Amino acid sequence: LTFPLLSVSLLVSFGSSMLYGYNLAVVNSPAVHIKAFYNATWSQRYGHELTPGPLTLLYSLTVSIFALGGLVGSLLVGMLVERYGRNGALRRSALLVLLAGGFMGFSRELGSPEMVIIGRSITGLHSGICLSVVPLYLGEIAPKNLRGFLGLMPSIFICLGVFAAQVLSLPELLGEERFWPLLLSVVVVPASLQLLLLHCFPESPRYLLIERNDVCGATKALHQFLGTPDVQDVIKEMKEEQRSLSSMEMVSVWQLLRDRSVHWQTLSVVVVNAGMQLSGIDAIWFYTNIIFENVGIPVSQIPYTTVGTGVIEIIAGLIGCFTIEKVGRRPLIIIGFCAMGICSAGITVSLLLQAALPWMHYVSVACVVGIIAGFCMGPAGVPFLMTAELFTQSHRPAAYIVGGSLNWLCNFTVGFIFPFLQMSTGAFCYLVFCGVCLLVALYVYFIIPETKNKTFMEISHIFA
């Protein structure tokens, strides 16, 4: 593990992946203040306040528009990484965060709820691009024995982003009513740092050699990343992959879906990425305060309980990062989904018994913590890492488009529907998440092979 490898991994994780986690959780605590702003603006414009139904709908749109922006971003990934490279796509996407921060930061001064919604959609666009490009970049620059460790580093920063949003939302910091625009727009700081420093690091060597046929540039990039003049073995492996793909251009999404030689890889990406979002984790992150209020936590204690869950996220993410090269990808993701499924069922049981047994609200909190820990240990990062590992260079961008699109579609579905699902089904809504988690765990157990310490060509041969 060289200093340049570690530095670029930390930089792109901090400047891109962390913002995804931050934007997932940042709308949770200031929900009351944002709704009050919407009501006040509506009253000024039309002379009357919003009724509860339209207000819930407008706030649900504010939360879930982030995922629609992410969907658009994920669809642009293939074009961006082919035209600008992995590093270039990340640098250009950082400009979107500066634009979004301006919209959200000045929304209250200009009396415009539309600016909040537009800003949220632009941050979603940025996250949709980076959620695919960061693991793609790290997966291509990392040696095979470090691919798991570096590939899960973004998931730790996603958890750190969630934790940062929870801490900054405390009443003692930016949790007061007057500070919520600043709370939403603080994302410009990490993005600016990435924009300033990322040009110091080279492009992905695999992109330079296999797609641009730039052997000299790839060799220089490998020297910088690996810290050794002896990179001929890596160059040889890349040239073998280039030769095997010489008669094949970069495939489109439609070609990927029709290609029977990668049928199981594509299906695996679909199942794991959709399952990751339909597991219920977004419901937890978007609506943590509402969930804790429903299970009986006093309102004054909810912000601090939420911060406590953030600490658990980081610990679980670190456990996953430092154990993935020992235990492998499959065990981590299976254990994570099983833990989430069991805890989702636990929330349903504890809510049903809460009237008879008041102490059951502690069980509900423990189950929420269990869902978050299970997710951060494996499902938070492994699906993106697996997408890079299951495909060769020609199919990888299209695979990220498929996985990213499903990821964001399911994210939007959960974010938009969960408040209404909770109102209509009550405690039983968590059983849906339980079923999804257990089905995904079974699929991974029976279908997906272990990929640690294998080259991309070896993994391709295993599936074949």
Side-chain angles (χ1 to χ4, degrees), residues 78-391:
M79 179 194 72
L80 291 173
V81 297
E82 189 176 346
R83 179 176 297 182
Y84 303 115
R86 285 62 167 147
N87 185 302
L90 288 173
R91 277 188 280 122
R92 286 164 175 80
S93 69
L95 296 170
L96 294 170
V97 181
L98 306 185
L99 180 63
F103 270 105
M104 295 186 292
F106 292 105
S107 58
R108 188 177 58 184
E109 297 298 321
L110 299 175
S112 174
E114 295 85 356
M115 291 178 68
V116 181
I117 296 171
I118 292 170
R120 284 282 294 169
S121 66
I122 296 174
T123 58
L125 181 65
H126 169 264
S127 291
I129 295 168
C130 295
L131 209 58
S132 294
V133 179
V134 168
L136 177 61
Y137 184 42
L138 297 183
E140 289 185 356
I141 68 174
K144 63 183 180 182
N145 62 309
L146 289 174
R147 213 161 52 219
F149 172 72
L150 295 182
L152 275 199
M153 194 171 287
S155 70
I156 293 176
F157 276 83
I158 290 172
C159 298
L160 278 170
V162 173
F163 180 66
Q166 293 165 343
V167 170
L168 290 176
S169 297
L170 290 174
E172 294 84 354
L173 297 174
L174 301 180
E176 292 185 14
E177 191 276 334
R178 60 196 172 117
F179 289 133
W180 69 261
L182 179 60
L183 182 66
L184 295 183
S185 61
V186 77
V187 289
V188 300
V189 176
S192 300
L193 191 64
Q194 177 175 287
L195 194 61
L196 288 171
L197 298 180
L198 194 53
H199 71 277
C200 300
F201 297 94
E203 186 52 77
S204 158
R206 303 189 79 85
Y207 168 78
L208 292 172
L209 193 149
I210 297 174
E211 295 185 36
R212 294 298 180 202
N213 204 29
D214 182 1
V215 179
C216 182
T219 304
K220 286 181 180 177
L222 285 170
H223 287 326
Q224 183 169 343
F225 282 133
L226 302 184
T228 174
D230 183 19
V231 295
Q232 292 310 307
D233 288 344
V234 186
I235 293 288
K236 182 181 176 182
E237 185 242 314
M238 288 188 205
K239 285 184 174 179
E240 285 178 6
E241 184 175 342
Q242 186 187 37
R243 276 194 295 273
S244 72
L245 302 172
S246 58
S247 61
M248 184 184 300
E249 296 181 357
M250 302 300 288
V251 303
S252 66
V253 172
W254 179 242
Q255 289 170 323
L256 175 74
L257 296 175
R258 294 182 62 189
D259 189 346
R260 298 189 65 83
S261 67
V262 292
H263 174 74
W264 283 106
Q265 290 99 310
T266 306
L267 183 60
S268 298
V269 166
V270 168
V271 170
V272 175
N273 277 276
M276 177 172 68
Q277 298 299 338
L278 296 177
S279 65
I281 189 64
D282 288 317
I284 300 292
W285 274 338
F286 286 151
Y287 302 106
T288 308
N289 285 20
I290 294 172
I291 291 170
F292 281 159
E293 193 174 333
N294 289 341
V295 301
I297 302 295
V299 174
S300 60
Q301 295 178 19
I302 286 176
Y304 307 98
T305 309
T306 303
V307 169
T309 64
V311 175
I312 300 297
E313 291 168 17
I314 296 170
I315 294 171
L318 288 169
I319 291 171
C321 188
F322 286 103
T323 60
I324 188 168
E325 293 298 353
K326 293 182 180 179
V327 303
R329 283 68 159 147
R330 288 175 75 248
L332 270 186
I333 202 165
I334 291 169
I335 291 169
F337 273 113
C338 285
M340 294 172 75
I342 292 167
C343 290
S344 294
I347 292 179
T348 298
V349 172
S350 61
L351 287 174
L352 291 174
L353 296 177
Q354 197 168 308
L357 303 169
W359 53 268
M360 280 303 246
H361 72 270
Y362 294 113
V363 177
S364 299
V365 173
C367 289
V368 169
V369 170
I371 290 172
I372 291 171
F375 179 78
C376 292
M377 191 168 63
V382 175
F384 303 109
L385 171 62
M386 286 173 62
T387 305
E389 292 185 329
L390 297 185
F391 294 90

Side-chain angles (χ1 to χ4, degrees), residues 3-18:
F3 180 74
L5 263 180
L6 183 62
S7 299
V8 75
S9 302
L10 290 171
L11 178 62
V12 297
S13 298
F14 175 73
S16 295
S17 303
M18 192 174 81

Side-chain angles (χ1 to χ4, degrees), residues 265 268 329-330 386 389-390 443-452 454 459 462-463:
Q265 290 99 310
S268 298
R329 283 68 159 147
R330 288 175 75 248
M386 286 173 62
E389 292 185 329
L390 297 185
Y443 178 89
V444 175
Y445 180 79
F446 285 110
I447 301 297
I448 300 180
E450 184 52 67
T451 57
K452 72 171 184 175
K454 293 181 174 64
I459 295 166
I462 290 171
F463 268 101

